[in-house]
Amino acid sequence: MNKKTFLWLIAGVVLSYGLASGGAAQGTERPNILWIVAEDIGLDLGCYGTESVHTPHLDRLAAEGALYRRAYTTAAICSPSRSSFMTGLYPHQVFSKNMRIRSPLEKQPLPEGVDVFTRYLREAGYAIGFPGHQKTDWGFKDPAGAPYDIKDWEELTARKPFFSQYQFYDVHRVNLVVNGKQLPFEPCPEHPVDRTKVRVQPYIPDTPAAREEQGAYLENINRLDMKIGALVADLKAKGLYEDTVIVVMGDNGPPLFRGKGFLYERGLLMPLIVRVPARFNPGFPPGMVSDELVSALDIAPTFISLAGGTVPGYMEVRIFFGPNKQPEPQFLFGLRDRLDENVYRVRSVCGKRYKYIRNFLPEKSCYDVGHKNVEAVSAGLALYHEGKLPPVQAAYYQARAKEELYDLANDPNELTNLAGLSEHQATLRGLRAVLDNWITEKRDDGKFEDPAMLKEMDRRWEEFVKKRRERPQKSFKVPSP
């Protein structure tokens, strides 16, 4: 992005938001901030109503704080999502809309003047930490300045005030071999999940493979809860619990059927729990459950505000809690582009009730562009070829409509596409126009990469994977807090 384009980017943002000062005046006490990021997790916690999990520690944080039921990532897959929430910009604005960018393709540096948001916390006087699973996975080149200062939890928590981005690899797939059996997720023997009692969404073929996979995923969430409980217990032991704002969120939806990688609710909705000690003016009562629309973009400006810093004008900014809380947006937007060698482009916009999805390559099915290591997908494919799936499940393996419209209030599983119904044409036209305006305003040009370069990227990657498979296998160990 050249200097002229970047100046346009700044001009396109509401500068009165961007120049908002933080909530803490100079010299006043400021909270520590513990930001817990879990990978590939949906709204599958006890506090969200899931009955097959054991998540007492996360449930307790929600009971003492706020639980958000309409929090969305901007992209339904790792690198674009992380690139977005670390900068406060949409993935395409930081050259990170595609997943992945490998040789011979090259990552680009951030636009001139843009940085990851930890810089602004450091400038506000915070010690910046990155303990836990130290994955960045950004689609852009690393910034010139170090994004983090301290990677040791003990060293970090001795500083005041501190900001910790504490990540857990859970609930990412590990494809672990235990006693000769391939497991998609790390098991939790302390809190096993009964596969017969898990909920299988109506769009998923209800097969033994789907239940096993779903149960294993939920067990891994139980492990995650235990680790977060240990981290919170350590804060309490250090006398820091009531000095620390805790925010728990995911990066995208679960790696399951029609989850991660798709702009349906299962792919975009992320758990979001916020606990703020009372003396730091949370602005909500303990145990609040909110259906307010929140974007992962809101994380950066909110943390900067809490730290008493100044939110930079280029951010797509909205402070969603704290003394400087700003109004709820009318719409949120989602993006999905290339995954490995699968060229694709989908955009979505959702409001309080309706979601509109536009498929720019509708001839490609969800199966064509989704992850092939999902057991429920493979089991469903066999049934599809046998003609045994109902329409709502067979749709995964078929070409998609160019436009999709869902009534989320009455159809939260997004089973019935309303785009072709005459009584919903006014809503369809309205959301279509909203998305058109957003594409124009944000300069989302939809350009695809050179097919020859992608083919070479895929060839090199397959060569690398082959060599990696030939190495001696190492035992798998999950990092502990």
Side-chain angles (χ1 to χ4, degrees):
M1 185 181 295
N2 58 33
K3 186 172 183 180
K4 181 178 178 181
T5 303
F6 178 68
L7 290 174
W8 163 86
L9 178 62
I10 294 179
V13 179
V14 182
L15 293 178
S16 61
Y17 279 18
L19 298 176
S21 297
Q26 188 173 4
T28 63
E29 184 181 20
R30 292 179 292 170
N32 304 313
I33 302 172
L34 171 59
W35 181 32
I36 298 172
V37 181
E39 297 208 34
D40 296 0
I41 186 171
L43 309 190
D44 299 296
L45 310 175
C47 50
Y48 281 101
T50 303
E51 297 180 354
S52 301
V53 292
H54 183 78
T55 54
H57 302 102
L58 287 164
D59 298 346
R60 188 171 302 115
L61 286 175
E64 295 178 2
L67 179 77
Y68 294 85
R69 299 191 297 193
R70 299 289 305 278
Y72 291 82
T73 64
T74 54
I77 201 161
C78 311
S79 181
S81 173
R82 290 169 175 268
S83 302
S84 183
F85 64 59
M86 287 303 300
T87 57
L89 291 168
Y90 288 101
H92 72 282
Q93 293 175 318
V94 288
F95 316 116
S96 302
K97 68 180 183 180
N98 293 311
M99 174 83 186
R100 306 254 179 218
I101 302 171
R102 298 186 177 108
S103 174
L105 300 177
E106 294 184 357
K107 294 182 177 182
Q108 298 186 52
L110 286 168
E112 182 181 349
V114 173
D115 209 335
V116 294
F117 74 81
T118 51
R119 166 189 165 184
Y120 308 107
L121 299 180
R122 182 185 296 110
E123 290 175 353
Y126 274 67
I128 309 300
F130 195 40
H133 183 66
Q134 293 163 4
K135 171 182 176 179
T136 54
D137 201 17
W138 302 328
F140 47 78
K141 287 184 178 179
D142 287 347
Y148 308 102
D149 305 320
I150 302 169
K151 295 185 177 180
D152 180 76
W153 173 250
E154 295 300 322
E155 180 184 353
L156 178 64
T157 52
R159 304 280 292 275
K160 186 173 179 63
F162 69 79
F163 170 84
S164 174
Q165 181 177 342
Y166 204 114
Q167 300 185 151
F168 290 96
Y169 193 64
D170 314 76
V171 183
H172 200 285
R173 283 178 176 269
V174 294
N175 295 319
L176 178 68
V177 177
V178 176
N179 298 325
K181 182 180 179 182
Q182 181 94 6
L183 302 179
F185 302 97
E186 183 79 358
C188 183
E190 297 89 346
H191 301 288
V193 171
D194 185 345
R195 278 27 173 191
T196 66
K197 295 182 179 179
V198 300
R199 175 180 176 261
V200 177
Q201 287 83 354
Y203 51 79
I204 303 176
D206 193 346
T207 62
R211 288 189 167 273
E212 175 59 34
E213 188 171 48
Q214 188 95 334
Y217 158 75
L218 295 176
E219 266 194 28
N220 204 203
I221 290 177
N222 293 347
R223 284 183 63 90
L224 171 67
D225 183 80
M226 293 171 64
K227 294 178 182 181
I228 291 176
L231 196 61
V232 170
D234 188 68
L235 277 181
K236 291 179 177 179
K238 289 180 167 70
L240 297 173
Y241 187 60
E242 295 301 334
D243 298 333
T244 305
V245 170
I246 300 175
V247 176
V248 183
M249 64 175 267
D251 61 349
N252 48 251
L256 302 172
F257 195 106
R258 219 180 77 165
K260 178 180 180 179
F262 298 102
L263 301 190
Y264 298 112
E265 296 290 272
R266 191 66 163 150
L268 286 176
L269 278 175
M270 63 180 188
L272 180 60
I273 297 171
V274 176
R275 184 192 184 275
V276 182
R279 75 174 187 275
F280 294 116
N281 187 19
F284 52 78
M288 183 190 78
V289 176
S290 174
D291 286 325
E292 185 173 314
L293 296 177
V294 178
S295 170
L297 289 173
D298 301 338
I299 291 294
T302 300
F303 284 158
I304 296 170
S305 173
L306 287 174
T310 299
V311 180
Y314 63 76
M315 284 187 175
E316 299 284 348
V317 15
R318 182 236 172 180
I319 298 166
F320 77 98
F321 77 88
N324 295 317
K325 182 181 184 300
Q326 293 168 326
E328 177 184 17
Q330 188 177 3
F331 301 108
L332 297 180
F333 301 88
L335 301 83
R336 160 69 199 270
D337 290 275
R338 178 178 59 77
L339 166 61
D340 296 331
E341 74 281 6
N342 274 319
V343 175
Y344 206 42
R345 187 185 182 211
V346 186
R347 298 293 182 264
S348 69
V349 54
C350 77
K352 294 293 281 187
R353 179 171 177 179
Y354 290 97
K355 180 195 281 184
Y356 170 75
I357 298 174
R358 183 179 300 172
N359 299 301
F360 290 84
L361 298 171
E363 66 276 10
K364 293 191 174 186
S365 69
C366 292
Y367 177 77
D368 291 333
V369 299
H371 289 91
K372 300 300 189 291
N373 63 347
V374 178
E375 286 86 345
V377 168
S378 300
L381 181 63
L383 295 175
Y384 175 71
H385 286 316
E386 295 171 6
K388 295 181 178 179
L389 295 184
V392 294
Q393 296 173 1
Y396 186 88
Y397 304 96
Q398 298 169 340
R400 305 173 71 178
K402 185 175 181 179
E403 294 181 302
E404 301 175 59
L405 178 67
Y406 298 102
D407 181 349
L408 299 178
N410 295 305
D411 181 22
N413 288 305
E414 297 161 297
L415 303 177
T416 304
N417 183 6
L418 305 175
L421 300 181
S422 59
E423 60 266 36
H424 293 283
Q425 290 308 297
T427 300
L428 179 67
R429 288 192 298 269
L431 290 177
R432 181 190 292 151
V434 168
L435 184 59
D436 285 339
N437 291 338
W438 180 88
I439 288 173
T440 300
E441 179 186 343
K442 305 304 177 189
R443 298 195 174 185
D444 178 22
D445 59 26
K447 289 182 179 178
F448 297 131
E449 297 146 313
D450 181 357
M453 294 283 279
L454 292 180
K455 185 175 181 180
E456 175 62 14
M457 181 189 75
D458 189 46
R459 186 196 68 77
R460 294 185 187 184
W461 177 246
E462 288 299 322
E463 187 177 89
F464 169 78
V465 170
K466 181 181 178 181
K467 290 180 179 179
R468 186 174 62 182
R469 287 171 179 162
E470 292 171 353
R471 300 174 192 160
Q473 295 294 311
K474 296 181 180 180
S475 60
F476 181 84
K477 183 179 180 182
V478 178
S480 57

